[in-house]
Amino acid sequence: MIERITYLLETARALAAAHPQEAGLASAGAFLILILLVVLVRRGRGSRTPAPESASAKDTEALLRSSEAPQPVAMPEPKAVEPETVEPEAVEPGLLEPEPPEPAESFFQSLRRGLARTQDAFVGRLDSIFAGREKLDEEAFEEIEEVLYTADLGVATATRLMEALRDRAAKGGGAQALRDALKTSVEEILSADGKAFPEGPESGPRVVMFVGVNGVGKTTTVGKVGAQYVSEGKRVILAAADTFRAAAIEQLEIWGERIGAQVIKQAASSDPSAVAFDAAAAARSRGVDVLLVDTAGRLHTKANLMEELKKMKRILGRELPGAPHEVILVLDATTGQNALSQARQFNEAVGVTGIALTKLDGTAKGGIVIAVHEELGLPIRYIGVGEKVNDLRPFDAHAFVEALFTRA
Ligand SMILES: Nc1nc2c(ncn2[C@@H]2O[C@H](COP(=O)(O)OP(=O)(O)O)[C@@H](O)[C@H]2O)c(=O)[nH]1
Ligand SMILES: [Mg+2]
């Protein structure tokens, strides 16, 4: 770079010496050199472009698939994650352009893929009842009712939907009108109370605690939600407050490494509230935007676990104003109605603000989304439709219902 600038300056000097009288030519030469300098400086900056994100996303997937027992990962020093301080790797100039990303599946496509089994069991069966009928007879209504029950919508929700359908039929609606009415009712149920996502604090970090029984997908959800905040340019800290098993801490560290978030941890078996305390202090002093707290799904007894979660919540609230701003209960959709009783217990103990429903891709009983919302009055905050980092999104009732009811 310096050599090139020197060369250009020398060329300018030579030009001026060769044509001392031609001031116009000299200034045109100077202008040309200025443009060349700007181009060179810009190129120099371009070489600092960080490695393309797609590489780390691929690594995450490979990692998630590859081993059940993740290997410990050396965490970077806190300073090392600041992009300004990271030295670009030495790369050949021609290799600086990011690789073209793989054609990304749209969110709607991944939602449809994730809901395929539920769609077959729910909308697919309903459609075969509607098909070929102008009007619905009593036999058809009974079949529809059975489908609603088997899709795990829950008794109250199924009853409510059946009432709406019969009302519409009494007003003279044909089969297609009834299908539309059913779709609208489902969307209405799911979007009621959609305002309920709590606002973050005016200043200081947004604190989100993730709770739920063992194996439902808490740690994975913390990682995926963290990745979303990071992609929005937010600085994120993950707190490894599941100290019950060393592997749980390592699993979160891997997520932190992959998504570029710092992880606050202590040794296995230490007090989870002490980790929450440290994480709150770190979030405050490092001025991060978001603190996500992973927690244990089991302790020696259930009462023990609930007490521990309450204590953690208190400590977060004492250390950061208004914290936790969200308490997300993670539920595994494949557990069906059992998810409802878990939700009641956690809600009583720690006051849940929203639900993350995971593993919808692994079940035909995705109707549980509707039951959870309708019977518990808790908003669905996120849904998980796969193990990849992009398979979790904030829940959107309209997109969900469209994906569920749109047949290929
Ligand atoms: N298919 C699928 N698997 C998931 C999803 N979310 C989490 N998992 C898997 O569920 C398993 C348990 O997740 P983990 O986060 O360790 O659960 P935790 O014990 O609640 O922290 C892991 O193998 C995850 O990859 C999802 O939305 N779909
Ligand atoms: Mg976990």
Side-chain angles (χ1 to χ4, degrees):
M1 173 74 164
I2 287 171
E3 283 159 22
R4 288 197 203 183
I5 293 172
T6 315
Y7 169 75
L8 286 169
L9 286 173
E10 274 169 14
T11 313
R13 245 188 255 128
L15 257 178
H19 305 277
Q21 260 74 44
E22 296 179 48
L25 186 61
S27 55
F31 183 61
L32 192 67
I33 289 168
L34 194 67
I35 292 183
L36 280 167
L37 279 175
V38 169
V39 169
L40 284 171
V41 167
R42 284 197 161 190
R43 274 206 182 174
R45 279 199 196 137
S47 69
R48 287 174 189 276
T49 311
E53 256 178 40
S54 56
S56 77
K58 269 188 230 145
D59 289 351
T60 310
E61 287 161 31
L63 201 86
L64 284 170
R65 273 195 239 106
S66 64
S67 73
E68 284 173 25
Q71 298 301 311
V73 176
M75 290 302 293
E77 288 300 313
K79 271 189 194 150
V81 295
E82 290 182 18
E84 300 79 25
T85 62
V86 177
E87 280 301 315
E89 286 175 19
V91 212
E92 297 267 313
L95 300 177
L96 293 174
E97 294 300 316
E99 279 174 33
E102 284 174 17
E105 193 181 35
S106 75
F107 176 53
F108 191 71
Q109 285 167 328
S110 68
L111 198 55
R112 281 202 51 199
R113 177 180 47 75
L115 292 176
R117 295 177 65 181
T118 298
Q119 190 185 66
D120 282 349
F122 181 40
V123 181
R125 283 183 62 200
L126 286 177
D127 279 349
S128 62
I129 300 169
F130 289 128
R133 284 184 160 106
E134 283 273 304
K135 294 251 171 205
L136 296 192
D137 50 21
E138 190 49 38
E139 189 197 347
F141 277 117
E142 276 167 25
E143 284 177 32
I144 291 172
E145 194 161 14
E146 197 200 316
V147 173
L148 297 185
Y149 284 124
T150 48
D152 243 356
L153 266 68
V155 178
T157 315
T159 310
R160 187 173 151 187
L161 287 174
M162 284 311 296
E163 277 167 10
L165 266 189
R166 284 182 189 277
D167 269 4
R168 189 77 181 72
K171 288 179 191 147
Q176 185 56 42
L178 292 190
R179 185 190 195 272
D180 293 345
L182 190 67
K183 184 177 163 190
T184 308
S185 301
V186 171
E187 189 173 333
E188 271 169 15
I189 290 177
L190 286 173
S191 41
D193 212 23
K195 61 176 188 327
F197 304 139
E199 293 288 314
E202 277 184 14
S203 63
R206 179 184 191 90
V207 181
V208 188
M209 236 175 113
F210 292 79
V211 301
V213 304
N214 214 33
V216 288
K218 287 181 298 302
T219 307
T220 311
T221 301
V222 168
K224 289 170 172 176
V225 170
Q228 274 175 25
Y229 279 118
V230 169
S231 76
E232 290 166 15
K234 303 265 193 320
R235 294 185 65 209
V236 176
I237 285 186
L238 310 179
D242 176 0
T243 58
F244 196 74
R245 287 177 310 129
I249 302 170
E250 285 164 14
Q251 190 189 353
L252 196 71
E253 287 188 292
I254 290 172
W255 273 106
E257 174 97 341
R258 294 295 165 192
I259 69 174
Q262 296 164 29
V263 176
I264 303 296
K265 60 163 185 170
Q266 289 190 11
S269 306
S270 54
D271 179 357
S273 291
V275 178
F277 178 87
D278 281 359
R284 199 174 39 227
S285 69
R286 295 177 199 177
V288 301
D289 304 297
V290 183
L291 166 59
L292 305 178
V293 184
D294 189 22
T295 65
R298 101 188 129 183
L299 282 186
H300 307 287
T301 67
K302 198 177 75 199
N304 220 325
L305 172 65
M306 297 301 176
E307 281 313 308
E308 191 52 68
L309 292 175
K310 282 187 208 168
K311 182 171 152 198
M312 214 182 295
K313 207 181 151 187
R314 264 197 321 272
I315 284 174
L316 289 170
R318 208 180 60 198
E319 296 305 309
L320 293 167
H325 306 94
E326 291 186 72
V327 177
I328 302 289
L329 172 65
V330 184
L331 294 174
D332 175 343
T334 62
T335 58
Q337 295 288 313
N338 188 7
L340 291 177
S341 73
Q342 289 169 23
R344 286 196 187 93
Q345 289 171 19
F346 278 92
N347 197 21
E348 244 167 55
V350 286
V352 171
T353 63
I355 304 283
L357 196 63
T358 61
K359 310 190 197 180
L360 272 168
D361 52 309
T363 180
K365 301 195 165 212
I368 190 71
V369 173
I370 304 162
V372 164
H373 189 278
E374 174 80 343
E375 295 191 20
L376 303 170
L378 288 171
I380 311 285
R381 181 69 162 106
Y382 298 101
I383 52 170
V385 290
E387 290 183 276
K388 289 187 237 152
V389 71
N390 286 326
D391 288 335
L392 179 111
R393 297 291 167 106
F395 180 71
D396 171 348
H398 181 68
F400 180 85
V401 172
E402 283 302 323
L404 191 60
F405 279 82
T406 304
R407 308 273 288 148

